[in-house]
Amino acid sequence: MSSDEPVRELDRDECRELLKQGTLGRLATAAGGEVDIFPVNYFSDGASILIRTAPGTKLLELTVHAAVAFETDGYTEDEAWSVVAHGRARQLESQTEIDEAERAPLQPWIPTLKYRYVHIDIERITGRRFERSPEPERW
């Protein structure tokens, strides 16, 4: 990236690779005319996203309206990136799916019990990479 092009769109494969590298993101839900956003830790294989949660607002909203957006980002000293995935979320119900989810490297960041798994099938994914440099002269 050059200073002439400080923002670059990422292709689908780049987005998937960055999504796979992350562990913390934000889940956006909408239900009953209300929009919420929740910080969550996650695991992704690049085609889907897995989160663990406890009963509460987040899980309730997902059962009312399954369409969600998910965002994760990261940065280094020289650049930053952001990936946004849209898809449909569903709570895992079958024991086979739950057993498989239990094998994923997904642990809560805080000492709480989270026995519910939510799987998001990614339908659309976009991302951008940003060059980090000083702000240009304004005048």
Side-chain angles (χ1 to χ4, degrees), residues 92-103:
L92 299 184
E93 300 287 345
S94 80
Q95 193 59 50
T96 302
E97 289 179 314
I98 293 168
D99 289 345
E100 186 176 332
E102 288 281 342
R103 290 190 288 275

Side-chain angles (χ1 to χ4, degrees), residues 9-113:
E9 297 292 323
L10 300 175
D11 67 30
R12 185 176 181 87
D13 289 337
E14 289 174 301
C15 290
R16 286 180 166 193
E17 284 305 311
L18 289 169
L19 186 64
K20 286 168 40 177
Q21 293 173 24
T23 59
L24 181 66
R26 284 154 296 285
L27 177 68
T29 64
E34 294 293 319
V35 177
D36 283 311
I37 190 158
F38 303 93
V40 295
N41 59 311
Y42 75 95
F43 170 76
S44 178
D45 60 6
S48 63
I49 299 164
L50 181 67
I51 64 172
R52 283 174 60 183
T53 191
T57 303
K58 183 183 335 156
L59 200 54
L60 178 62
E61 288 182 7
L62 295 174
T63 60
V64 171
H65 188 73
V68 298
F70 180 87
E71 192 266 346
T72 188
D73 50 37
Y75 67 94
T76 67
E77 191 171 306
D78 301 319
E79 65 181 12
W81 54 266
S82 175
V83 171
V84 176
H86 292 86
R88 304 207 54 84
R90 64 182 175 84
Q91 181 177 333
L92 299 184
E93 300 287 345
S94 80
Q95 193 59 50
T96 302
E97 289 179 314
I98 293 168
D99 289 345
E100 186 176 332
E102 288 281 342
R103 290 190 288 275
L106 178 58
Q107 298 296 317
W109 280 25
I110 57 175
T112 58
L113 296 175

